[in-house]
Amino acid sequence: AQSVAQPEDQVNVAEGNPLTVKCTYSVSGNPYLFWYVQYPNRGLQFLLKYITGDNLVKGSYGFEAEFNKSQTSFHLKKPSALVSDSALYFCAVRDDTGGFKTIFGAGTRLFVKA
Amino acid sequence: EAGVAQSPRYKIIEKRQSVAFWCNPISGHATLYWYQQILGQGPKLLIQFQNNGVVDDSQLPKDRFSAERLKGVDSTLKIQPAKLEDSAVYLCASSPVGQGYNEQFFGPGTRLTVL
């Protein structure tokens, strides 16, 4: 069965410092991995995805994520955090074995301090 | 390009009452999803449509929840009767014809409070 884990409820980082939001997954087949961001009172917005190929994926707003098959991880990163990055981040996974049900993690709240 | 529209944005009802939510996906998107997001949790898929056929409704509490997608466009999610534990944000999302690697586009959600 598919599952996603986001081990940190909250990540705190100072503005200008690099940030990492962690995600690990479990799927039966090959994974399709996604990161979404949720701002207050708004729906989820797509940030980036991994389908196949290059393990480093670049997305919106300067975010990137690294796919690590051996560690079954897909951590979200940004070299220099902004206060405006403060939001709720969700990792999600699908596999290619049929149905394409998307499983979301519980979310990690990112707080960037000025 | 217009985004996914949902209404109402907020709804407060008493337990055992019924409620309905409406969703209009992005034009041309064949796949439509309804998610339930309880406070402090990630979205949980309730039902997924491909055009007007159901692809997955394994997590839909069918004794009280129902959904339809007429003509493969708009969709309605209904709860009857509502329970306290149904208090959540109900998110609608859509994506182009259902390849697993397509990202989903989400609406703003409907916040339901059951008293």
Side-chain angles (χ1 to χ4, degrees):
Chain A
Q2 298 168 239
S3 66
V4 177
Q6 293 183 243
E8 302 152 317
D9 291 337
Q10 181 163 315
V11 170
N12 299 308
V13 64
E15 188 173 36
N17 282 0
L19 69 87
T20 298
V21 182
K22 295 180 180 177
C23 172
T24 59
Y25 67 90
S26 174
V27 296
S28 302
N30 294 311
Y32 301 132
L33 293 154
F34 304 82
W35 277 101
Y36 290 86
V37 60
Q38 188 173 37
Y39 298 102
N41 299 314
R42 295 174 67 177
L44 279 73
Q45 296 177 32
F46 168 74
L47 275 180
L48 49 79
K49 65 183 176 184
Y50 171 83
I51 302 171
T52 187
D54 196 348
N55 289 342
L56 185 64
V57 178
K58 294 188 182 296
S60 306
Y61 313 121
F63 284 93
E64 57 190 28
E66 186 170 10
F67 171 66
N68 188 316
K69 187 173 183 178
S70 63
Q71 296 186 4
T72 62
S73 67
F74 189 55
H75 301 332
L76 181 69
K77 300 181 179 184
K78 188 174 182 181
S80 178
L82 299 173
V83 173
S84 57
D85 293 331
S86 298
L88 191 55
Y89 291 81
F90 291 95
C91 181
V93 67
R94 284 174 150 173
D95 70 25
D96 63 353
T97 58
F100 300 123
K101 180 188 293 184
T102 301
I103 303 298
F104 283 82
T108 298
R109 187 164 298 281
L110 174 65
F111 181 71
V112 182
K113 184 177 179 182
Chain B
E1 177 181 78
V4 176
Q6 289 188 248
S7 68
R9 292 293 310 275
Y10 305 91
K11 190 74 177 179
I12 300 174
I13 61 173
E14 307 231 338
K15 60 184 179 183
R16 292 187 289 274
Q17 286 186 323
S18 61
V19 65
F21 313 127
W22 173 83
C23 173
N24 182 245
I26 291 173
S27 177
H29 280 192
T31 309
L32 186 147
Y33 315 79
W34 283 102
Y35 288 90
Q36 180 191 58
Q37 186 178 16
I38 293 173
L39 187 65
Q41 300 180 19
K44 182 182 82 171
L45 180 69
L46 292 176
I47 189 166
Q48 178 178 338
F49 293 95
Q50 178 86 3
N51 297 307
N52 50 349
V54 175
V55 173
D56 190 317
D57 63 357
S58 58
Q59 299 187 104
L60 186 74
K62 297 180 186 65
D63 58 334
R64 298 185 301 106
F65 286 64
S66 64
E68 60 182 7
R69 189 181 186 195
L70 300 175
K71 301 180 182 178
V73 182
D74 293 8
S75 178
T76 302
L77 177 69
K78 296 180 181 178
I79 308 175
Q80 181 179 12
K83 293 184 175 181
L84 296 177
E85 59 261 36
D86 299 332
S87 293
V89 175
Y90 291 84
L91 295 167
C92 179
S94 69
S95 66
V97 65
Q99 299 299 321
Y101 48 77
N102 282 327
E103 63 268 27
Q104 297 173 41
F105 296 80
F106 284 82
T110 297
R111 183 177 298 277
L112 174 67
T113 302
V114 183
L115 302 176

